[in-house]
Amino acid sequence: MTVAKNRADRVMLYDIRWEQFENLLKDLGHRAARLAYDRTTLEIITPLPEHEHYKEVIGDLVKEIADVLDLDYESCGSTTWKRESRMAGVESDNCFYF
C-alpha cells in the first residue's frame, strides 16, 4: 500500500485490492467519511462544513425542480454504488433516482 501526500480532508491510498475496499466498507459501517475506489486507488474524503452546506442547497434545488416539472423521484442519500466487474465504487453525498 502506498500513501500519497494529502490534504487535511482527503487521503489517497494506492495498490488497494477490491477485497480490501469491500472489507473497509463493511468494517467502517455508517460514517461521515466518503470512499471512492477506482481499480487500485482508494480515496477517503471527510466532507468539510461548507461542502455539507452546498450538498443541502443542491439537494433542495433538485427536489424543487423535480416538483415543478412534476417528476417522480426518490432521494437515495449517501448510497454506496459499486461494481466489481469494473473494479469501481463510489459513495455519493446525495443522489436521486428519477
Side-chain angles (χ1 to χ4, degrees):
M1 172 175 59
T2 307
V3 179
K5 196 162 190 126
N6 303 297
R7 297 181 355 199
D9 62 335
R10 177 171 304 175
V11 174
M12 298 287 291
L13 303 172
Y14 301 96
D15 302 321
I16 303 297
R17 295 185 325 274
W18 178 261
E19 293 79 17
Q20 290 174 299
F21 170 60
E22 290 272 23
N23 287 335
L24 273 172
L25 289 173
K26 184 174 58 174
D27 292 344
L28 292 175
H30 190 297
R31 65 204 130 39
R34 304 282 187 267
L35 278 63
Y37 181 82
D38 185 28
R39 303 194 192 276
T40 61
T41 301
L42 176 67
E43 180 179 29
I44 303 171
I45 304 165
T46 304
L48 299 172
E50 55 270 17
H51 177 97
E52 291 295 306
H53 168 75
Y54 290 117
K55 174 194 84 163
E56 292 298 321
V57 169
I58 292 168
D60 290 345
L61 180 62
V62 168
K63 293 174 190 175
E64 188 66 31
I65 291 170
D67 289 342
V68 167
L69 296 175
D70 198 29
L71 297 173
D72 291 330
Y73 69 91
E74 185 175 334
S75 178
C76 298
S78 58
T79 301
T80 301
W81 304 96
K82 58 185 177 170
R83 185 174 295 171
E84 186 174 6
S85 64
R86 296 212 177 174
M87 299 293 291
V90 67
E91 295 180 327
S92 59
D93 293 315
N94 198 359
C95 63
F96 297 88
Y97 180 75
F98 289 88

